[in-house]
Amino acid sequence: MPQEMTAPVFRFAPSPNGALHLGHAYSALVTHDMARAAGGRFLLRIEDIDLTRARAEYEAQILDDLAWLGLEWGRPVRRQSEHFATYRQALDQLDALGVLYPCFATRKEIAQAVTSPAHPLDPDGAPLYPGLCKGLPEVAIETRKARGAPFALRLDMDKALALALERNGSPLTFTEIDGDRQEVIQADPARWGDAVIARKEVPTSYHLAVVVDDAIQGVSHVTRGRDLYAATDIHRLLQVLLGLPEPLYHHHRLITDAQGRKLAKSQRDTSLAALRADGLTPADIRRLVGQAI
Ligand code: GLU
């Protein structure tokens, strides 16, 4: 069950790899307004573990856009790239449970191993990991590591799930809230297969960094778009394995373009910066996304 928290904590967690668009503005406004209505805190977290795509100028622009929208957030702002040592500790904890294994396979090798058009896909539409490096003999692992071969760490999903069920004492669930409504949802982490928990180039993944940070920041309410709904299954699994508290979840609707497509950072026309330059006001933005005060 989610923990009872006296002072609710909410967070908006953008990745600084592009300009914020209307979809981000909506997410930030929903989160901010829920925090205010609940008498809680609104935190900002910069999710910059992708060192090749994150840029300081995007981060500066995010802060500027949010301030322009009239939002105020708690300090200090947490920047994930400053906490790799913390994620490494969580990895060590998972490793000690025996639920991780190194994967040396390249994207190309994985794609080549997935030959059947009927190969199962994960919720993001990527083929489930075909198990190339699963069960590698210890000596093969050590030889490759000694050669300096880069490797990711994957979750052995079967083992992880069995251990989490044992620890939890009941099937994994999460609580989705919407206004006054609460619904307990069954989590199905197995549909992600042996997911990457630490990438080759950094000692974490989106999934690991999010659950570790939400716990460290005392986040009681995770608010984010419905595109991350399925990710919650694996987040619950990691929370149980790492002994972290369970937040409440609210997955809000996505802002779409005129063709009904989810907005993307590459569509420059809906960036907040472009809309500002066109003379729109923060009140206009609220109206456009249906989040008027
Ligand atoms: N950083 C993620 C994004 O930009 C959001 C992560 C989350 O809210 O859990 O979509």
Side-chain angles (χ1 to χ4, degrees), residues 155-235:
L155 199 59
D156 182 326
M157 183 54 80
D158 291 339
K159 261 196 203 170
L161 203 48
L163 186 60
L165 289 176
E166 188 186 306
R167 293 201 161 182
N168 205 45
S170 57
L172 302 186
T173 59
F174 62 92
T175 302
E176 178 76 16
I177 57 165
D178 193 4
D180 291 339
R181 282 190 300 125
Q182 288 208 354
E183 195 182 351
V184 176
I185 311 284
Q186 298 294 323
D188 178 18
R191 59 187 169 146
W192 288 99
D194 285 2
V196 169
I197 296 301
R199 300 180 189 172
K200 282 182 178 165
E201 61 286 357
V202 288
T204 187
S205 58
Y206 158 66
H207 299 306
L208 184 68
V210 162
V211 298
V212 167
D213 283 353
D214 283 340
I216 287 176
Q217 293 188 287
V219 172
S220 58
H221 292 66
V222 171
T223 52
R224 58 188 177 200
R226 288 196 71 89
D227 52 338
L228 290 169
Y229 192 83
T232 307
D233 293 0
I234 201 157
H235 296 176

Side-chain angles (χ1 to χ4, degrees), residues 3-11 40-41 43 45 78 210-222 245-248:
Q3 297 204 330
E4 278 296 320
M5 299 260 180
T6 42
V9 179
F10 294 71
R11 90 306 194 269
R41 302 184 67 210
L43 303 180
R45 183 164 77 223
R78 188 173 175 90
V210 162
V211 298
V212 167
D213 283 353
D214 283 340
I216 287 176
Q217 293 188 287
V219 172
S220 58
H221 292 66
V222 171
E246 177 186 355
L248 293 165

